[in-house]
Amino acid sequence: MRSLPLTPIAGSAAAAGAPGTTADAPAATSAAARRAAMPPRHLADLDLAARSALLAELGEPAFRAKQVSQHYFGRLVRDPSGMTDLPARSREHIAAALMPPLLTPLRELACDGGATRKALWRLHDGSLVESVLMGYPDRVTVCISSQAGCGMACPFCATGQAGLTRNLSTAEIVDQAVYMAGAVANEPMPTSPPRLSHVVFMGMGEPLANYSRVVAAVRRLTAPAPEGLGLSQRHITVSTVGLVPAMHKLADEGLQVTLALSLHAPDDDLRDELVPVNQRWKVAEVLDAAWRYADRTGRRVSIEYAMIRDVNDQPWRADLLGSLLRGRSTHVNLIPLNPTPGSRWDASPKPVEREFVRRLRAAGVSTTVRDTRGREIDGACGQLAAAEVVS
Ligand code: SF4
């Protein structure tokens, strides 16, 4: 096994080893700094009742909140100037009080014959985040970011190297999906349905470290229009590196979303290094939380495993992983590592990957290798933002 440098988990309550806490509750000074950096309130931060109350305070009629919400979530109109059935004065109120621009597109790229599109956004405070849209024959999925940067410090990940800048607001999370839903509706992907159907929280950040805003975003994405975007809860996937208290909390939310656990190693020795939060919550505890999630929700848990050459891809690790997962309600996604420029981490060779798959399947564990969408456009976690920062 290679010895890897350990990096402290910056800005994460998990680093302090505080069960039940998340980055929603950091130290007082950093909380103040982060609040200062949060964006202005937006319609997607609020439920329909709160939108109505706010607009009533501005002297708008009772039906206005539904009307504006229908524009945003139903017709995917993100700019109030496009709501031409509203009086000009109302559009001004709404722009000022409910719909400040949250995401400024810096760069949009396409590859895979137009079946993958990636957007890099600048937020109001200059932070950069990204979203990736992926078209398949049966669905269209958007991968969205939940934090600017990430405090989890996984050493093989571009985002993890820069640390956490701040949590995204609920609306900054939701607006990525609404923008991409509009992009698909206006310009369908070549061989995919003309409608966004799935959302995965696998962009920048550790979603469960921004717990309350991510759960609010899930509720907004899945509430029927005009309250929300009307997606199926079963079409939403929330990933985590294994923040155990937050996993338990999510299991008790009454949601039907898929939980994806980024495991990356079946043994604590290696996982302590690849996923530093493992120093707080060990493999056995993390898997117990995953099985409890499956029991409580009836949803199969995804196990994500980045295949890294000569680091975590040995046959004995496949066998150990198989023994941990055998008989459980789970599916393994092996992810060929997309190495960051200048990184010493590399993807496993294909024969090694095939043998890993063979051993897991021989143990009775459902396993697939994830496609590597967006490689031409730095499609791995956080890499487009990293490229922009260094260029
Ligand atoms: S792999 Fe995910 S959790 Fe780990 S540092 Fe990167 S973005 Fe954060």
Side-chain angles (χ1 to χ4, degrees), residues 283-347:
V283 169
E285 202 179 349
V286 168
L287 286 177
D288 280 350
W291 309 146
R292 179 174 174 274
Y293 186 88
D295 286 346
R296 293 279 293 165
T297 61
R299 305 287 294 150
R300 191 167 73 159
V301 173
S302 276
I303 301 291
E304 310 294 307
Y305 196 104
M307 292 290 289
I308 311 174
R309 180 198 288 259
D310 297 335
V311 174
N312 66 351
D313 59 359
Q314 301 83 353
W316 72 266
R317 283 202 162 92
D319 293 341
L320 178 57
L321 184 61
S323 69
L324 293 173
L325 305 187
R326 182 182 289 123
R328 296 295 187 170
S329 176
T330 189
H331 174 87
V332 175
N333 274 316
L334 297 179
I335 309 159
L337 186 79
N338 190 3
T340 49
S343 163
R344 62 203 174 86
W345 309 94
D346 203 358

Side-chain angles (χ1 to χ4, degrees), residues 122-133:
R122 188 186 295 284
L123 308 182
H124 82 109
D125 60 347
S127 300
L128 304 179
V129 298
E130 59 196 2
S131 322
V132 185
L133 190 65

Side-chain angles (χ1 to χ4, degrees), residues 303-305 307 331-337 348-350 352-358 360-361 366-373 375:
I303 301 291
E304 310 294 307
Y305 196 104
M307 292 290 289
H331 174 87
V332 175
N333 274 316
L334 297 179
I335 309 159
L337 186 79
S348 301
K350 283 292 162 195
V352 172
E353 182 185 283
R354 280 194 289 272
E355 177 62 9
F356 208 89
V357 172
R358 191 192 69 73
L360 283 174
R361 288 184 180 156
S366 163
T367 305
T368 48
V369 178
R370 192 193 288 168
D371 70 356
T372 49
R373 283 300 184 87
R375 289 219 154 185

Side-chain angles (χ1 to χ4, degrees), residues 149-154 156-161 203-206 241 262 264 381:
C150 182
M152 296 295 120
C154 305
F156 56 88
C157 164
T159 302
Q161 304 319 296
M204 294 176 77
E206 158 57 41
V241 282
S262 299
H264 303 319
C381 175

